[in-house]
Amino acid sequence: MNPEKLAKMAAAVRTGGKGSVRRKKKAIHKTTTTDDKRLQNTLKRLGVNNIPAIEEVNLFKDNGTVIHFTNPKVQASIAANTYVISGHAETKKLQDLLPGIINQLGPDNLAALKKQAADAGGFNPGAIPEDAEDDDDDDMPDLVDNFETTANA
């Protein structure tokens, strides 16, 4: 064996400088699966149960953004007041999810949405649009005769 190659291999396994001893065995690094197993054991101790058939979860933040989970794994422990949502999460703006999530909005989120809409486009839900005149009588014909005189005769 080549002495230079042997010296390179010996230098690769030293932990310290030139006079230190070599390592006895290779260090094994922990993977993330051990963290996941630990988390699952802790959740099992809390008594969480899987909740099936949940298609989406939306977490509304104060700044108008939404953390959106599609087909998440949801676990809950009512006694411990603990809910675990795991899966692929996306952070989106409230306007991006709008037509489908109006029924999920609470009173403060609706107020924030109205405020954002007023800032963006001058939308006021209680106001009558400027181009709408009194056109609410279009579906009724105008009175031609006096019906009271016809009814009395």
Side-chain angles (χ1 to χ4, degrees), residues 135-141:
D135 292 338
D136 56 338
D137 60 350
D138 286 344
D139 54 346
M140 285 192 279

Side-chain angles (χ1 to χ4, degrees), residues 79-138:
N81 195 19
T82 304
Y83 299 91
V84 179
I85 302 166
S86 56
H88 179 66
E90 299 174 345
T91 303
K92 298 183 176 182
K93 290 184 179 178
L94 186 61
Q95 292 84 4
D96 296 343
L97 300 170
L98 246 188
I101 64 166
I102 289 181
N103 58 350
Q104 299 174 11
L105 295 176
D108 15 326
N109 287 331
L110 278 175
L113 180 64
K114 286 179 185 176
K115 181 178 178 261
Q116 286 178 354
D119 291 344
F123 175 73
N124 189 355
I128 299 173
E130 295 173 8
D131 58 346
E133 298 172 5
D134 276 336
D135 292 338
D136 56 338
D137 60 350
D138 286 344

Side-chain angles (χ1 to χ4, degrees), residues 40-102:
Q40 291 301 326
N41 286 336
T42 305
L43 291 174
K44 194 180 289 183
R45 267 189 262 134
L46 287 174
V48 296
N49 296 321
N50 284 342
I51 301 176
I54 293 185
E55 296 174 4
E56 70 175 2
V57 173
N58 293 315
L59 299 174
F60 298 96
K61 295 172 74 176
D62 290 337
N63 61 0
T65 58
V66 178
I67 301 174
H68 178 74
F69 292 87
T70 305
N71 293 326
K73 179 181 178 185
V74 178
Q75 299 169 309
S77 172
I78 307 298
N81 195 19
T82 304
Y83 299 91
V84 179
I85 302 166
S86 56
H88 179 66
E90 299 174 345
T91 303
K92 298 183 176 182
K93 290 184 179 178
L94 186 61
Q95 292 84 4
D96 296 343
L97 300 170
L98 246 188
I101 64 166
I102 289 181

Side-chain angles (χ1 to χ4, degrees), residues 3-15:
E4 293 174 11
K5 188 174 182 183
L6 187 60
K8 273 188 184 178
M9 287 174 53
V13 292
R14 287 192 190 273
T15 56

